[in-house]
Amino acid sequence: MHSQAIYLTILNIGGRALNFLLFWLIANKFGASQETDWFFLVYSIVYFIVGIFIQSVESVLVPFFYSIKSELIPTLLKRTIFGGVYATLLVIIISLISGLWIAPRLGFAIPHSWLYAIFICISLGVQPLLALLSSFLSSWLQFKQCFSLPTIHLSLRAIGIIPFLLLPSCDTVFCLAIAFLTGEIFRLVVLGANTLEIISPVSSQQNSLIGNPFSSITREVGWMSFALTVSFINIAVDLAMVGGMGPGSATLVDYAGRLRGFPVLLFGGILTMLLGKWSYQHLQQKVSLQFKQVKQICIGVIIGAVVIVVAMILFLDSIVSLVFFSEKFTPANLEDLKKLLFWYLTGVPMLAGYYILSKAFLVLREIKTLAKIALLLCGLNYLFNLLFLNLIGLKGVAISTSLLDVIACLLSFFLLRKKMTKLNQKET
């Protein structure tokens, strides 16, 4: 397991390097402007829907596959496709409302023309369906104990996007939206090519009844979607609440928030492996997951994250200068980015710990608990933003986020310990 964890970590670092290159290209090619403010506000709303689809399906399906007959998997995929198509229509409507009605009322001017903005909203709105299908296929690979592609599947998206951004003519947010769509298509094609054993029967298999197992997965995905909705909505709330703090403010917050996520993403391979391994141990082998086992890995990841964060803070000036080197960033922009990134980074170790603990909740299928934690954090995020943005300005949004990371990790730690102690007592 240790050698596999090292391999997946190295693989994940390579994948994250591609994601970082994508972020670096976008930041320096498009800078921070009213046009990018509008685009990233709309994209953040759509992206949290994409994030919901990705994490809900992957998180819930991996342990769920152990409770369903393998011959019913293609039918489940078929129903997922049909449900995703209907959901896409709703997402497109949300995207249009966000870009054409909500954004202007928050101070984000529509770029160019209405027709131009409509095309962007539609191209963004179809992406959650592609992400949903990619996540289903990634979950199957994890269930089959194949972790390489699931570890880097987000990077596959970057591979599809980067060639577009390298084109000299790709200098508008419209082109950026098309590039994102191309990346989602590329990721789905690659995953599909490696999961033909469940894709090929879909077109020919009759719509057999799944019954209660399907109802169960619907409920669990529903709870997970709710948890992630109130979690990812924090991103949109943050951008909306800084919209009136000057041109480019929302874009700077978005850039700093994305850069803040890279230290945690370095552990993505381990997180992917843990969900698969723990599910197999707890649900297939019937060897109960122990809190001591989870705690040891959680502490180790937190320590590793602290080392990474301290190194990033020590070289913060150099990092910001290297990443945001474009002349489109003013000295004031760079100073704001340094402050934002510093305060974002302070909460990263606890965020990494929370991700480890959440995997244990998923294996235990305690998704309602994750939903309750997320709902609490969403309310606290709004209150913290009100307090800190008024007191200390733009960097207040980063301080608020880091406080939430600490609360999420500590609360999850004590709730998980309580839950697993009760389970162990029942078994004995």
Side-chain angles (χ1 to χ4, degrees):
M1 182 172 177
H2 291 293
S3 59
Q4 189 176 24
I6 294 172
Y7 163 73
L8 292 175
T9 298
I10 295 173
L11 187 65
N12 181 62
I13 290 174
R16 298 309 170 184
L18 275 175
N19 287 333
F20 179 79
L21 176 60
L22 172 61
F23 167 78
W24 179 79
L25 286 172
I26 292 174
N28 289 286
K29 190 160 191 175
F30 296 92
S33 64
Q34 288 186 343
E35 187 178 72
T36 58
D37 278 353
W38 178 87
F39 178 85
F40 283 118
L41 175 68
V42 178
Y43 180 69
S44 70
I45 294 173
V46 175
Y47 185 78
F48 91 72
I49 299 175
V50 173
I52 288 167
F53 282 144
I54 291 175
Q55 294 194 33
S56 293
V57 173
E58 286 197 33
S59 300
V60 173
L61 280 185
V62 176
F64 176 80
F65 281 144
Y66 288 101
S67 64
I68 187 173
K69 295 180 179 179
S70 58
E71 60 266 23
L72 295 179
I73 302 299
T75 303
L76 179 58
L77 175 58
K78 187 175 182 179
R79 292 192 178 187
T80 301
I81 293 172
F82 287 151
V85 170
Y86 291 125
T88 297
L89 298 176
L90 177 61
V91 175
I92 290 175
I93 293 173
I94 293 173
S95 178
L96 290 168
I97 293 174
S98 302
L100 306 179
W101 188 76
I102 295 177
R105 280 158 179 77
L106 293 175
F108 300 92
I110 295 176
H112 299 293
S113 65
W114 279 71
L115 186 60
Y116 182 91
I118 288 172
F119 279 133
I120 293 175
C121 291
I122 292 175
S123 67
L124 292 176
V126 300
Q127 294 181 37
L129 171 61
L130 303 175
L132 170 64
L133 299 179
S134 294
S135 297
F136 189 104
L137 302 180
S138 176
S139 299
W140 174 256
L141 289 172
Q142 293 176 58
F143 167 68
K144 302 296 287 185
Q145 300 292 294
C146 301
F147 302 117
S148 296
L149 270 181
T151 295
I152 62 168
H153 76 85
L154 289 177
S155 304
L156 296 175
R157 175 175 173 268
I159 294 174
I161 295 174
I162 290 174
F164 267 85
L165 299 184
L166 294 177
L167 296 173
S169 58
C170 184
D171 57 0
T172 64
V173 291
F174 179 81
C175 181
L176 186 57
I178 298 302
F180 285 165
L181 178 59
T182 304
E184 289 292 354
I185 294 173
F186 180 79
R187 172 170 60 171
L188 179 59
V189 169
V190 173
L191 288 170
N194 286 272
T195 51
L196 292 177
E197 72 272 17
I198 62 170
I199 293 177
S200 53
V202 170
S203 58
S204 59
Q205 186 171 345
Q206 297 298 318
N207 190 24
S208 57
L209 295 177
I210 294 181
N212 290 332
F214 185 74
S215 301
S216 174
I217 190 61
T218 301
R219 287 194 301 270
E220 293 191 19
V221 169
W223 276 110
M224 194 66 196
S225 297
F226 173 78
L228 292 170
T229 296
V230 295
S231 177
F232 277 94
I233 204 172
N234 288 340
I235 300 172
V237 168
D238 289 348
L239 295 179
M241 294 184 74
V242 301
M245 304 187 74
S249 296
T251 304
L252 295 175
V253 169
D254 182 79
Y255 286 163
R258 290 174 185 271
L259 194 57
R260 164 248 192 182
F262 280 101
V264 176
L265 292 176
L266 292 176
F267 298 99
I270 295 175
L271 291 170
T272 299
M273 183 188 69
L274 286 178
L275 181 59
K277 292 291 187 182
W278 284 350
S279 296
Y280 180 75
Q281 170 194 328
H282 190 77
L283 301 171
Q284 181 71 20
Q285 296 181 318
K286 305 300 182 182
V287 178
S288 297
L289 186 64
Q290 301 295 317
F291 180 73
K292 180 180 179 181
Q293 181 181 357
V294 177
K295 183 175 72 172
Q296 288 176 341
I297 296 177
C298 180
I299 293 174
V301 167
I302 290 175
I303 293 173
V306 167
V307 173
I308 296 172
V309 165
V310 169
M312 290 185 69
I313 290 176
L314 290 175
F315 296 97
L316 190 60
D317 289 347
S318 300
I319 291 173
V320 171
S321 299
L322 287 172
V323 175
F324 305 100
F325 68 89
S326 173
E327 294 181 356
K328 294 184 178 181
F329 292 101
T330 67
N333 290 155
L334 295 177
E335 192 61 32
D336 283 337
L337 283 167
K338 290 176 186 177
K339 293 177 182 178
L340 284 167
L341 187 55
F342 173 83
W343 287 108
Y344 271 134
L345 288 173
T346 58
V348 162
M350 300 300 279
L351 178 62
Y354 168 70
Y355 282 162
I356 296 294
L357 297 169
S358 67
K359 297 303 180 187
F361 277 115
L362 291 170
V363 172
L364 298 177
R365 300 179 79 166
E366 285 291 322
I367 302 175
K368 286 186 180 180
T369 302
L370 292 176
K372 293 175 182 178
I373 294 173
L375 186 61
L376 172 64
L377 296 177
C378 187
L380 290 176
N381 181 57
Y382 180 75
L383 294 176
F384 288 164
N385 279 348
L386 282 178
L387 174 64
F388 293 118
L389 285 173
N390 288 328
L391 286 178
I392 55 180
L394 190 63
K395 65 182 179 182
V397 73
I399 296 176
S400 171
T401 299
S402 290
L403 281 176
L404 293 178
D405 294 338
V406 174
I407 293 171
C409 185
L410 294 178
L411 183 59
S412 299
F413 181 88
F414 291 113
L415 289 177
L416 182 65
R417 184 176 66 177
K418 180 179 179 181
K419 176 65 180 178
M420 297 187 82
T421 300
K422 287 183 178 179
L423 287 176
N424 291 334
Q425 289 175 347
K426 288 182 180 179
E427 292 176 357
T428 56

